[in-house]
Amino acid sequence: MKTHDYTRRTWGHDYIFRPIDDGMKGDMSGWGYGIEQGDYLLLQNDDASTRYQVDTIDYYANPDDQWRASVTFAPRQQPSK
């Protein structure tokens, strides 16, 4: 599993997030290569970031870097003491 940082939105590396269940899940579309099911996406959330795990992802044929995904909120775990 990889983590893909989408906190810096640029041309060819951007997304649209549509929240479901008060943001616990989401329907997304975006641009960028290499995202797979099970990977994590870091999304901008005001001055912080929020992590979601990719449940499903499908890439479009044209353009081939455009995708649609369903995601689930996956907060980062604090290290154990």
Side-chain angles (χ1 to χ4, degrees), residues 30-31 33 57-68:
W31 297 265
Y33 292 106
I57 187 162
D58 293 302
Y59 281 89
Y60 290 82
N62 187 14
D64 62 356
D65 67 335
Q66 187 174 5
W67 47 264
R68 181 169 182 169

Side-chain angles (χ1 to χ4, degrees), residues 46-81:
D46 294 324
D47 292 335
S49 63
T50 302
R51 188 175 81 159
Y52 284 84
Q53 188 168 29
V54 177
D55 298 322
T56 63
I57 187 162
D58 293 302
Y59 281 89
Y60 290 82
N62 187 14
D64 62 356
D65 67 335
Q66 187 174 5
W67 47 264
R68 181 169 182 169
S70 60
V71 297
T72 300
F73 179 60
R76 290 162 275 209
Q77 302 299 317
Q78 297 296 324
S80 300
K81 293 183 179 182

Side-chain angles (χ1 to χ4, degrees), residues 2 11 28-29 39 45 55 64-66 75:
K2 291 184 189 177
W11 182 259
M28 296 183 67
S29 55
D39 285 357
N45 185 4
D55 298 322
D64 62 356
D65 67 335
Q66 187 174 5

Side-chain angles (χ1 to χ4, degrees), residues 13-44:
H13 189 82
D14 201 356
Y15 65 90
I16 298 167
F17 181 84
R18 291 168 293 283
I20 301 170
D21 291 334
D22 293 323
M24 298 307 289
K25 292 190 171 284
D27 181 42
M28 296 183 67
S29 55
W31 297 265
Y33 292 106
I35 302 169
E36 297 180 4
Q37 184 177 346
D39 285 357
Y40 295 100
L41 300 174
L42 291 181
L43 309 180
Q44 190 67 39

